[in-house]
Amino acid sequence: MTHTRDELPSAAAPAEKASDAALARVLDVVARRRAECEERRQVPRDVIAVFKEAGIYRAATPRQFGGEPLPPGRFLKIVERISAVDASAGWVASFGSSLMYLAALPPDTQAELYANGPDVVFAAGLYPVQPAEHVAGGYRLAGRWKFASGCLGADVLGVGITAGQDRAGRPRTALLRPEQVEIAENWQVIGLRGTGSHDLVVDGAVVPERWTFVRGAPPTLDDPLYRYPTVPYAAQVLAAVALGVARAALDQVISEGGRASHTGGPVAADRASYRISVARAEAQLRSVRAFFHDITEEVWQTVERGDPATSHQASLLRLASAHAAKASFEVVRDAYHLAGIRAIADDSPMQRCLRDVSVIPQHAFLQETVYDGAGAVLMDAPPFPGYL
């Protein structure tokens, strides 16, 4: 039983039907390969190729370079769908949105970046931000950066440097070719194992100035997508992974409600406590998801008509994301308890849902401090530095 499938109507346009068929293929491949992704601690390149074929990595590429920019609400639902099958695959797919950042590069640099096509996989390890040496025409880099999700399948890699910070103190990102970077495969974690979020190591590579940008800086090309708040969107695509995992976990306990107990006790669905817990979790998940997508659509309509998103709107995007991650974890935790002893088995999807979703609220974009920043903005007080 499923509850959040945004199915296309029967009168959908041919292009939409083709897109839906491509997504169906992605979901099928991910379902067949998710155990392999977990074991290898990466989404393999041939799976990334399927993502590319489905347009996931051109969803934020400029139109003039062959991209097909998607409205955020539509892309977020794609991430949810993939994440309901496998969180790591959804996490890696979510970075199809990160080419928004690269819209701040000079147009000629972007033309070179997309010279071989619009389907470019960008992965970055931005922290800890490292100093870079100014040299003729650019920066000389040396250091080690953490959490570069999807780096083993990336076409271009980014690292954070302090040189050339903007007035708000936001670090600059330097782009490198994979051959300029050593990937230190050290992703040994409890959840989201398939994201391959390894360290990046650079030793003396020189990056020209025109291949650097400040994340969140104004784009050099115009499209409604590039007017959407960049950093809040980066939080949203990660929160969408949590929503997908929560949906999968809740669907699991709903579908198992008719199973007999190992101890011979009452069928779960015959117990009031089970029914009450399922209903509460369903209400919680649907409520937080409604807030998440409602503010997404509001902000999209604002930027699509040519107006800038307000600081209040950008803050609500961040609040909705952090709250979605927190609530999704709570839903999965409750589903895990409802699942009983079966949930502890290695082959149980429930234990993996719990491991994966527990990682997501730990991300810096989604931690409890976001509530502090959002509360400040709601009361017209200055939020903490870097919040917006």
Side-chain angles (χ1 to χ4, degrees):
M1 183 183 300
T2 56
H3 302 269
T4 59
R5 299 296 182 252
D6 298 294
E7 300 291 354
L8 292 171
S10 59
E16 290 178 318
K17 289 183 178 179
S19 177
D20 200 50
L23 178 57
R25 180 164 185 257
V26 167
L27 299 179
D28 177 66
V29 170
V30 169
R32 288 189 284 107
R33 303 285 294 277
R34 57 190 167 194
E36 177 189 348
C37 294
E38 170 105 346
E39 182 179 354
R40 293 178 58 180
R41 296 179 186 266
Q42 69 174 100
V43 178
R45 279 189 174 271
D46 62 322
V47 177
I48 295 293
V50 176
F51 290 0
K52 286 184 176 183
E53 291 170 6
I56 290 170
Y57 289 109
R58 65 176 61 186
T61 301
R63 295 180 192 279
Q64 69 187 76
F65 301 121
E68 299 172 3
L70 290 181
R74 186 172 171 188
F75 186 77
L76 291 167
K77 288 173 183 175
I78 290 172
V79 173
E80 279 187 78
R81 293 280 299 275
I82 298 171
S83 302
V85 179
D86 180 64
S88 290
W91 189 271
V92 171
S94 80
F95 292 105
S97 67
S98 63
L99 295 181
M100 279 181 66
Y101 297 144
L102 277 57
L105 290 165
D108 62 334
T109 302
Q110 294 187 56
E112 188 175 340
L113 175 68
Y114 299 114
N116 294 323
D119 304 297
V120 172
V121 182
F122 171 53
L126 300 182
Y127 298 98
V129 177
Q130 304 285 355
E133 177 190 358
H134 278 280
V135 296
Y139 305 97
R140 187 184 306 277
L141 280 55
R144 188 178 185 119
W145 293 262
K146 301 188 71 63
F147 306 124
S149 296
C151 57
L152 289 169
D155 302 310
V156 62
L157 297 163
V159 296
I161 59 176
T162 56
Q165 285 182 323
D166 69 357
R167 291 181 180 179
R170 295 178 297 186
R172 183 167 291 273
T173 299
L175 299 183
L176 301 108
R177 299 182 302 277
E179 59 267 25
Q180 293 177 288
V181 181
E182 175 193 350
I183 295 176
E185 297 189 31
N186 61 346
W187 188 237
Q188 302 295 322
V189 290
I190 189 173
L192 293 180
R193 290 174 177 169
T195 64
S197 304
H198 304 295
D199 287 5
L200 304 181
V201 181
V202 181
D203 186 13
V206 174
V207 177
E209 174 83 28
R210 68 188 186 90
W211 283 93
T212 71
F213 64 94
V214 173
R215 187 170 67 174
T220 58
L221 302 174
D222 188 40
D223 186 279
L225 181 61
Y226 307 142
R227 297 195 292 269
Y228 194 85
T230 308
V231 174
Y233 191 30
Q236 284 191 283
V237 298
L238 306 181
V241 177
L243 290 170
V245 178
R247 183 70 266 166
L250 191 51
D251 282 348
Q252 184 74 20
V253 294
I254 290 171
S255 67
E256 291 185 349
R259 273 193 183 183
S261 167
H262 281 307
T263 63
V267 170
D270 291 339
R271 300 197 302 266
S273 59
Y274 194 95
R275 297 194 299 264
I276 290 169
S277 294
V278 166
R280 283 176 174 166
E282 185 72 32
Q284 182 179 14
L285 180 57
R286 284 180 177 267
S287 297
V288 73
R289 187 176 184 272
F291 171 35
F292 182 80
H293 285 290
D294 180 67
I295 186 59
T296 299
E297 186 59 27
E298 176 188 318
V299 177
W300 176 245
Q301 289 179 8
T302 297
V303 300
E304 194 174 30
R305 66 173 176 257
D307 297 328
T310 66
S311 59
H312 181 81
Q313 287 177 320
S315 180
L316 285 176
L317 290 175
R318 293 211 60 187
L319 175 60
S321 299
H323 193 55
K326 178 177 182 292
S328 294
F329 169 73
E330 292 170 352
V331 166
V332 176
R333 180 195 60 201
D334 291 348
Y336 178 85
H337 289 156
L338 287 171
I341 196 65
R342 292 186 180 93
I344 70 171
D346 279 344
D347 62 355
S348 166
M350 193 61 69
Q351 57 83 20
R352 185 164 172 184
C353 284
L354 183 63
R355 288 190 292 105
D356 288 339
V357 82
S358 70
V359 176
I360 298 171
Q362 303 296 93
H363 193 282
F365 282 171
L366 301 171
Q367 291 178 5
E368 289 277 320
T369 53
V370 174
Y371 288 99
D372 175 32
V377 173
L378 285 169
M379 293 180 285
D380 294 324
F384 58 83
Y387 174 69
L388 291 176

